[in-house]
């Protein structure tokens, strides 16, 4: 029984498929989504017609929270939606938050502006962390 009810498998796959291997690399997208739906969590922003505007996918099953994906609909980017959804998540937990981002992905600016710092660089992949006091 999936633990995530606020977003569907189809919505995640449709939103990520066109971006995969451009901004990030997910080998098996279907498996990735199943894992999120089974043991992960999602926060979503929708419009009044229930269209998906932005979401964050994360795992909260370890000492540190792990953000797996942040996405905003292409027509709604640059309006602060991702920043808002990330802020909401930060406000909900006192855990440190970890994420990984490709060094050329502009999403790194979102994370930097939200207080994340680079703690590891492995090839093109950066690990970033928001350390809580
Ligand atoms: C990354 C992404 C989620 C940002 O969504 P968004 O809703 O447009 O972001 P916001 O409008 O909330 O921007 C937040 C901050 O990040 C900065 N930022 C976001 N995208 C940026 C870009 N392409 N270049 C420079 N800065 C950027 C904004 O300037 C903003 O800073 P500000 O508050 O000082 O103005 C969106 O571009 C996306 O869906 N990308 C594809 C999926 C992806 O790669 N996700 C990350 C995987 S690690």
């Amino acid at each position: 029984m999936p633990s995530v009810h606020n977003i569907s498998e189809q919505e995640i796959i449709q939103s990520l498929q066109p971006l995969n291997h451009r901004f990030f690399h997910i080998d098996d997208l279907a498996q990735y989504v199943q894992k999120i739906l089974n043991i992960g969590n999602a926060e979503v922003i929708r419009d009044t017609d229930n269209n998906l505007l932005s979401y964050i996918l994360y795992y909260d099953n370890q000492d540190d929270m792990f953000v797996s994906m942040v996405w905003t609909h292409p027509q709604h980017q640059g309006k602060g939606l991702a920043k808002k959804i990330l802020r909401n998540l930060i406000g909900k937990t006192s855990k440190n938050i970890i994420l990984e981002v490709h060094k050329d992905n502009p999403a790194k600016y979102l994370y930097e502006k939200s207080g994340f710092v680079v703690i590891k660089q492995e090839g093109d992949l950066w690990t970033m962390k928001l350390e809580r006091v």
Side-chain angles (χ1 to χ4, degrees), residues 22-25 100-108 111 123-126:
R22 193 147 62 99
F23 293 115
F24 46 79
H25 299 276
E100 289 176 344
V101 63
H102 189 280
K103 70 171 178 46
D104 297 328
N105 190 334
K108 69 187 177 192
Y111 304 138
D124 290 343
L125 199 64
W126 287 5

Side-chain angles (χ1 to χ4, degrees), residues 16 19 23-24 54 68-73 76-84 99-102 105-107 109-111 113:
L16 296 186
L19 306 174
F23 293 115
F24 46 79
S54 189
S68 179
M69 182 58 64
V70 187
W71 175 89
T72 296
H73 190 289
H76 296 276
Q77 290 179 6
K79 298 177 179 178
L81 291 176
K83 195 167 159 181
K84 180 175 166 185
L99 56 82
E100 289 176 344
V101 63
H102 189 280
N105 190 334
Y109 300 117
L110 162 71
Y111 304 138
K113 285 174 176 179

Side-chain angles (χ1 to χ4, degrees), residues 80-94:
L81 291 176
K83 195 167 159 181
K84 180 175 166 185
I85 212 162
L86 189 55
R87 283 267 161 85
N88 285 350
L89 183 66
I90 293 167
K92 278 176 64 167
T93 184
S94 54

